[in-house]
Amino acid sequence: MRILGIETSCDETGIAIYDDEQGIMAHRLYSQIAVHADYGGVVPELASRDHVRKTIPLIKDVLVDANVTPQALDGIAYTAGPGLVGALLVGCSIGRSLAYGWNLPAVPVHHMEGHLLAPMLEDKAPQFPFVALLVSGGHTMLVRVDGIGQYQVLGESVDDAAGEAFDKTAKLLGLDYPGGPVLAKMAAQGRAKQFKFPRPMTNKPGLDFSFSGLKTFAANTIQQAIQPHLSAAEKTQIKADIAYAFQEAVVDTLTIKCRRALEQTKLKRLVIAGGVSANTMLRENLASTMKKLQGEVFYPRPEFCTDNGAMIAYAGLQRLKSGVHQDLTFKATPRWPLDTLPAV
Ligand code: KG4
Ligand code: ZN
């Protein structure tokens, strides 16, 4: 079976064709970074308008790349939530309309299920059951996964998501949006042990997260450490040291909670997905933790950590195979708890 996947939940237009025998036949991604850069964050109305401009041309490109006609597809999957409502509506309306026009089933997909299943696109794919750490710009969750749609949320952020904390701290450091990757790059120039950030909620039992305090801690640290008399080079070095300490605190906190989740569930397989899973320090830390625990860690290739069409096509195909498809309507669901999805 072969499916077209459409992702438009935030600031990336991602389109892909996935075939369960041939794998990913084509995928394209258009990032709106330049559209939102001047504003320091995603402007929802601009995001929707840009998806309107880019989605259909990208679908045409992907069909050409894969050398596939619409008649050779078995369905169309699109992200129906969670995300920005206007941005979601673009993918939903285009996906549903093309499915109607091409006489194909339309499959609404949960964006976080897409992230969660993205490691299945790799040669080294995890077997069920596993613990998944989902870390994106909008979500931070630990999930016990027993199969597709069998999700038990073990813990989540009570305030900012990990990616959001990266983005906000990056902004405080004067870095461009999206801050996560830029802050990580800056942290690579930073020195260890110059600053000590807290590890929020690690002293209490439980698997929930809280990252908003780190942003406030970063703001205070920057204010105290970056003094006017310092040279530009000294300021740059101190900022890199702060970036290092911040990143280390987020990575440590995530690692402690992953370890705890694995102990609690007695599972040995860990999956990490979502934009922040592209972070090198996080990957290295989790890899060495899992080695110590004699377990295994699985993640998508970096380009499938952040938003993309391939993960939506993959998740959509699993849902389609189980008989899921939408009648002649579409609905964007900006808030959609992951554990309300039916099991496959
Ligand atoms: O999954 P994603 O592409 O979009 C959402 O569904 O939110 O995640 C985007 C988030 C942003 O907050 C971005 O700053 C963060 O992932 N991110 C990173 C890195 N790459 C992306 N954070 C830390 N280190 C990275 N290398
Ligand atoms: Zn995402």
Short mmCIF file of all heavy atoms in Angstrom, two decimals, residues 7 9-12 82 111-112 115 135-139 161-167 177-185 247 273-280 305-308 311, ligand 1:
data_model
loop_
_atom_site.label_atom_id
_atom_site.label_comp_id
_atom_site.label_asym_id
_atom_site.label_seq_id
_atom_site.Cartn_x
_atom_site.Cartn_y
_atom_site.Cartn_z
N GLU A 7 2.00 17.30 6.04
CA GLU A 7 2.21 17.87 7.39
C GLU A 7 2.22 19.40 7.28
O GLU A 7 3.06 19.97 6.58
CB GLU A 7 3.54 17.35 7.95
CG GLU A 7 4.19 18.19 9.02
CD GLU A 7 3.38 18.38 10.29
OE1 GLU A 7 2.65 17.45 10.69
OE2 GLU A 7 3.46 19.48 10.87
N SER A 9 1.28 21.35 10.47
CA SER A 9 0.73 21.74 11.78
C SER A 9 1.35 22.99 12.37
O SER A 9 0.79 23.61 13.26
CB SER A 9 0.87 20.59 12.77
OG SER A 9 2.22 20.39 13.08
N CYS A 10 2.55 23.36 11.88
CA CYS A 10 3.21 24.52 12.49
C CYS A 10 3.92 25.34 11.41
O CYS A 10 3.26 25.95 10.58
CB CYS A 10 4.15 24.06 13.60
SG CYS A 10 4.82 25.41 14.58
N ASP A 11 5.24 25.32 11.39
CA ASP A 11 5.97 26.21 10.47
C ASP A 11 6.77 25.45 9.42
O ASP A 11 7.72 25.98 8.86
CB ASP A 11 6.88 27.16 11.26
CG ASP A 11 7.88 26.41 12.14
OD1 ASP A 11 7.70 25.19 12.33
OD2 ASP A 11 8.84 27.03 12.62
N GLU A 12 6.39 24.20 9.17
CA GLU A 12 7.05 23.43 8.12
C GLU A 12 5.99 22.76 7.25
O GLU A 12 5.07 22.15 7.77
CB GLU A 12 7.94 22.35 8.73
CG GLU A 12 9.39 22.72 8.69
CD GLU A 12 10.09 22.63 10.03
OE1 GLU A 12 9.49 22.07 10.97
OE2 GLU A 12 11.22 23.12 10.13
N PRO A 82 -2.32 17.67 17.06
CA PRO A 82 -2.47 19.02 17.56
C PRO A 82 -1.55 19.98 16.80
O PRO A 82 -0.65 19.54 16.10
CB PRO A 82 -2.04 18.89 19.03
CG PRO A 82 -1.21 17.66 19.11
CD PRO A 82 -1.59 16.78 17.96
N HIS A 111 -0.35 14.39 15.07
CA HIS A 111 1.04 14.82 14.84
C HIS A 111 2.03 14.11 15.76
O HIS A 111 3.11 13.68 15.32
CB HIS A 111 1.11 16.34 15.06
CG HIS A 111 2.45 16.93 14.85
ND1 HIS A 111 2.97 17.20 13.60
CD2 HIS A 111 3.42 17.32 15.74
CE1 HIS A 111 4.18 17.72 13.74
NE2 HIS A 111 4.48 17.80 15.02
N MET A 112 1.67 13.94 17.05
CA MET A 112 2.61 13.32 17.99
C MET A 112 2.73 11.81 17.74
O MET A 112 3.77 11.22 18.02
CB MET A 112 2.22 13.61 19.44
CG MET A 112 2.25 15.07 19.82
SD MET A 112 3.76 15.96 19.31
CE MET A 112 4.97 15.26 20.41
N HIS A 115 5.40 11.69 15.16
CA HIS A 115 6.75 11.77 15.76
C HIS A 115 7.12 10.44 16.42
O HIS A 115 8.24 9.95 16.28
CB HIS A 115 6.79 12.87 16.83
CG HIS A 115 7.06 14.24 16.29
ND1 HIS A 115 8.15 14.54 15.51
CD2 HIS A 115 6.38 15.41 16.42
CE1 HIS A 115 8.13 15.82 15.19
NE2 HIS A 115 7.06 16.38 15.72
N VAL A 135 9.93 14.92 22.52
CA VAL A 135 10.40 16.26 22.88
C VAL A 135 10.36 17.18 21.67
O VAL A 135 11.21 17.08 20.79
CB VAL A 135 11.83 16.23 23.48
CG1 VAL A 135 11.82 16.12 24.98
CG2 VAL A 135 12.70 15.11 22.89
N SER A 136 9.36 18.04 21.63
CA SER A 136 9.25 18.95 20.48
C SER A 136 9.09 20.37 20.98
O SER A 136 9.28 20.65 22.17
CB SER A 136 8.06 18.52 19.61
OG SER A 136 6.87 18.81 20.30
N GLY A 137 8.69 21.27 20.07
CA GLY A 137 8.49 22.66 20.46
C GLY A 137 7.22 22.85 21.28
O GLY A 137 7.09 23.78 22.05
N GLY A 138 6.26 21.93 21.10
CA GLY A 138 4.98 22.07 21.79
C GLY A 138 4.74 21.04 22.87
O GLY A 138 3.83 21.19 23.69
N HIS A 139 5.52 19.93 22.88
CA HIS A 139 5.25 18.83 23.80
C HIS A 139 6.52 18.26 24.41
O HIS A 139 7.55 18.19 23.75
CB HIS A 139 4.54 17.67 23.07
CG HIS A 139 3.17 18.03 22.60
ND1 HIS A 139 2.95 18.68 21.42
CD2 HIS A 139 1.95 17.85 23.17
CE1 HIS A 139 1.66 18.89 21.27
NE2 HIS A 139 1.02 18.40 22.31
N ALA A 161 7.32 23.33 27.03
CA ALA A 161 7.94 22.13 26.47
C ALA A 161 9.45 22.35 26.40
O ALA A 161 9.92 23.50 26.44
CB ALA A 161 7.39 21.87 25.08
N ALA A 162 10.20 21.25 26.28
CA ALA A 162 11.67 21.36 26.24
C ALA A 162 12.12 22.25 25.07
O ALA A 162 12.98 23.12 25.23
CB ALA A 162 12.30 19.98 26.14
N GLY A 163 11.52 22.06 23.90
CA GLY A 163 11.89 22.86 22.72
C GLY A 163 11.57 24.33 22.94
O GLY A 163 12.34 25.21 22.53
N GLU A 164 10.44 24.58 23.60
CA GLU A 164 10.03 25.95 23.89
C GLU A 164 11.06 26.60 24.82
O GLU A 164 11.42 27.78 24.64
CB GLU A 164 8.67 25.85 24.59
CG GLU A 164 7.87 27.10 24.65
CD GLU A 164 6.50 26.83 25.31
OE1 GLU A 164 6.15 25.66 25.58
OE2 GLU A 164 5.81 27.82 25.57
N ALA A 165 11.54 25.85 25.80
CA ALA A 165 12.55 26.37 26.73
C ALA A 165 13.84 26.69 25.96
O ALA A 165 14.47 27.74 26.19
CB ALA A 165 12.83 25.36 27.83
N PHE A 166 14.22 25.82 25.02
CA PHE A 166 15.39 26.09 24.18
C PHE A 166 15.16 27.39 23.40
O PHE A 166 16.04 28.26 23.35
CB PHE A 166 15.61 24.94 23.17
CG PHE A 166 16.63 23.92 23.62
CD1 PHE A 166 16.23 22.74 24.24
CD2 PHE A 166 17.98 24.12 23.40
CE1 PHE A 166 17.16 21.79 24.65
CE2 PHE A 166 18.92 23.17 23.80
CZ PHE A 166 18.52 22.01 24.43
N ASP A 167 13.99 27.51 22.78
CA ASP A 167 13.71 28.68 21.94
C ASP A 167 13.70 29.97 22.75
O ASP A 167 14.25 30.99 22.33
CB ASP A 167 12.38 28.50 21.20
CG ASP A 167 12.42 27.35 20.20
OD1 ASP A 167 13.53 26.97 19.78
OD2 ASP A 167 11.35 26.83 19.85
N TYR A 177 15.42 32.83 15.90
CA TYR A 177 14.45 31.74 15.90
C TYR A 177 14.73 30.82 14.71
O TYR A 177 15.09 31.35 13.65
CB TYR A 177 13.03 32.34 15.81
CG TYR A 177 12.06 31.45 15.11
CD1 TYR A 177 11.36 30.49 15.83
CD2 TYR A 177 11.88 31.54 13.72
CE1 TYR A 177 10.49 29.64 15.17
CE2 TYR A 177 11.02 30.68 13.07
CZ TYR A 177 10.33 29.74 13.80
OH TYR A 177 9.49 28.89 13.16
N PRO A 178 14.52 29.51 14.76
CA PRO A 178 14.21 28.75 15.96
C PRO A 178 15.49 28.50 16.76
O PRO A 178 16.51 28.06 16.22
CB PRO A 178 13.62 27.45 15.42
CG PRO A 178 14.25 27.29 14.06
CD PRO A 178 14.63 28.65 13.57
N GLY A 179 15.43 28.78 18.04
CA GLY A 179 16.64 28.86 18.84
C GLY A 179 17.32 27.55 19.18
O GLY A 179 18.53 27.54 19.43
N GLY A 180 16.57 26.44 19.22
CA GLY A 180 17.14 25.17 19.68
C GLY A 180 18.46 24.81 19.02
O GLY A 180 19.49 24.71 19.69
N PRO A 181 18.44 24.63 17.68
CA PRO A 181 19.69 24.24 17.02
C PRO A 181 20.79 25.29 17.15
O PRO A 181 21.97 24.93 17.26
CB PRO A 181 19.29 24.04 15.55
CG PRO A 181 17.84 24.31 15.45
CD PRO A 181 17.29 24.66 16.78
N VAL A 182 20.44 26.58 17.15
CA VAL A 182 21.45 27.65 17.24
C VAL A 182 22.06 27.65 18.64
O VAL A 182 23.28 27.81 18.79
CB VAL A 182 20.82 29.04 16.93
CG1 VAL A 182 21.91 30.04 16.59
CG2 VAL A 182 19.82 28.96 15.81
N LEU A 183 21.21 27.47 19.66
CA LEU A 183 21.73 27.42 21.03
C LEU A 183 22.67 26.22 21.19
O LEU A 183 23.73 26.32 21.80
CB LEU A 183 20.56 27.35 22.03
CG LEU A 183 20.94 27.50 23.50
CD1 LEU A 183 19.78 28.12 24.29
CD2 LEU A 183 21.33 26.19 24.16
N ALA A 184 22.28 25.09 20.60
CA ALA A 184 23.12 23.88 20.69
C ALA A 184 24.49 24.14 20.06
O ALA A 184 25.52 23.71 20.58
CB ALA A 184 22.42 22.71 20.02
N LYS A 185 24.49 24.87 18.95
CA LYS A 185 25.74 25.19 18.26
C LYS A 185 26.61 26.10 19.14
O LYS A 185 27.82 25.90 19.26
CB LYS A 185 25.40 25.91 16.95
CG LYS A 185 26.39 25.66 15.86
CD LYS A 185 25.82 26.12 14.55
CE LYS A 185 26.93 26.33 13.53
NZ LYS A 185 26.48 27.08 12.38
N GLN A 247 21.77 23.82 28.34
CA GLN A 247 21.56 22.59 27.58
C GLN A 247 21.82 21.36 28.45
O GLN A 247 21.05 20.39 28.44
CB GLN A 247 22.48 22.57 26.36
CG GLN A 247 22.38 21.29 25.55
CD GLN A 247 23.24 21.32 24.31
OE1 GLN A 247 22.74 21.40 23.20
NE2 GLN A 247 24.55 21.26 24.47
N ALA A 273 12.04 11.04 20.04
CA ALA A 273 11.57 11.65 18.80
C ALA A 273 11.09 13.07 19.07
O ALA A 273 10.94 13.47 20.21
CB ALA A 273 10.45 10.80 18.21
N GLY A 274 10.84 13.83 17.99
CA GLY A 274 10.47 15.24 18.11
C GLY A 274 11.71 16.10 17.91
O GLY A 274 12.84 15.61 18.05
N GLY A 275 11.51 17.37 17.60
CA GLY A 275 12.61 18.28 17.23
C GLY A 275 13.82 18.24 18.14
O GLY A 275 14.95 18.19 17.66
N VAL A 276 13.61 18.21 19.46
CA VAL A 276 14.74 18.27 20.39
C VAL A 276 15.56 16.96 20.35
O VAL A 276 16.73 16.94 20.74
CB VAL A 276 14.26 18.59 21.83
CG1 VAL A 276 15.41 18.72 22.80
CG2 VAL A 276 13.43 19.87 21.84
N SER A 277 14.97 15.89 19.81
CA SER A 277 15.73 14.63 19.73
C SER A 277 16.86 14.74 18.71
O SER A 277 17.70 13.84 18.61
CB SER A 277 14.81 13.44 19.44
OG SER A 277 14.31 13.51 18.13
N ALA A 278 16.89 15.84 17.94
CA ALA A 278 18.03 16.07 17.03
C ALA A 278 19.25 16.55 17.82
O ALA A 278 20.36 16.59 17.28
CB ALA A 278 17.65 17.11 15.97
N ASN A 279 19.06 16.91 19.07
CA ASN A 279 20.15 17.48 19.88
C ASN A 279 21.25 16.45 20.17
O ASN A 279 20.99 15.39 20.75
CB ASN A 279 19.57 18.02 21.19
CG ASN A 279 20.61 18.75 22.02
OD1 ASN A 279 21.35 18.14 22.76
ND2 ASN A 279 20.66 20.04 21.85
N THR A 280 22.46 16.78 19.77
CA THR A 280 23.58 15.84 19.88
C THR A 280 23.88 15.45 21.32
O THR A 280 24.12 14.27 21.61
CB THR A 280 24.85 16.46 19.25
OG1 THR A 280 24.49 16.97 17.98
CG2 THR A 280 25.96 15.44 19.07
N CYS A 305 13.52 13.98 12.79
CA CYS A 305 13.26 14.36 14.19
C CYS A 305 12.31 15.54 14.21
O CYS A 305 11.34 15.58 14.95
CB CYS A 305 14.56 14.75 14.89
SG CYS A 305 15.60 13.35 15.27
N THR A 306 12.62 16.54 13.37
CA THR A 306 11.74 17.71 13.29
C THR A 306 10.56 17.38 12.36
O THR A 306 10.51 16.29 11.78
CB THR A 306 12.54 18.93 12.77
OG1 THR A 306 13.34 18.49 11.70
CG2 THR A 306 13.45 19.49 13.86
N ASP A 307 9.62 18.31 12.25
CA ASP A 307 8.40 18.03 11.50
C ASP A 307 8.69 17.64 10.05
O ASP A 307 9.56 18.23 9.40
CB ASP A 307 7.49 19.27 11.53
CG ASP A 307 6.98 19.53 12.93
OD1 ASP A 307 7.12 18.64 13.79
OD2 ASP A 307 6.42 20.62 13.17
N ASN A 308 7.96 16.65 9.56
CA ASN A 308 8.17 16.17 8.19
C ASN A 308 6.95 15.39 7.71
O ASN A 308 6.12 14.98 8.52
CB ASN A 308 9.43 15.28 8.15
CG ASN A 308 9.26 14.02 9.00
OD1 ASN A 308 8.74 13.01 8.53
ND2 ASN A 308 9.65 14.07 10.27
N MET A 311 6.78 11.01 8.39
CA MET A 311 6.22 10.41 9.61
C MET A 311 4.68 10.40 9.55
O MET A 311 4.04 9.50 10.09
CB MET A 311 6.72 11.15 10.86
CG MET A 311 6.23 12.58 11.00
SD MET A 311 6.95 13.37 12.47
CE MET A 311 5.87 14.82 12.63
O1 KG4 B 1 9.05 18.58 16.37
P1 KG4 B 1 9.34 19.96 15.93
O2 KG4 B 1 9.99 20.17 14.59
O3 KG4 B 1 8.07 20.85 15.92
C1 KG4 B 1 7.05 20.70 16.87
O4 KG4 B 1 6.21 19.79 16.70
O5 KG4 B 1 7.10 21.50 17.82
O6 KG4 B 1 10.26 20.61 17.08
C2 KG4 B 1 10.74 21.91 16.99
C3 KG4 B 1 11.52 22.21 18.25
C4 KG4 B 1 11.93 23.67 18.36
O7 KG4 B 1 11.64 24.12 19.66
C5 KG4 B 1 13.43 23.63 18.10
O8 KG4 B 1 14.14 24.69 18.72
C6 KG4 B 1 13.80 22.29 18.69
O9 KG4 B 1 12.73 21.44 18.31
N1 KG4 B 1 15.08 21.76 18.17
C7 KG4 B 1 16.18 21.58 18.92
C8 KG4 B 1 17.19 21.10 18.04
N2 KG4 B 1 16.65 21.00 16.79
C9 KG4 B 1 15.36 21.41 16.89
N3 KG4 B 1 16.40 21.77 20.23
C10 KG4 B 1 17.63 21.50 20.70
N4 KG4 B 1 18.65 21.05 19.94
C11 KG4 B 1 18.48 20.83 18.61
N5 KG4 B 1 19.50 20.39 17.86
#
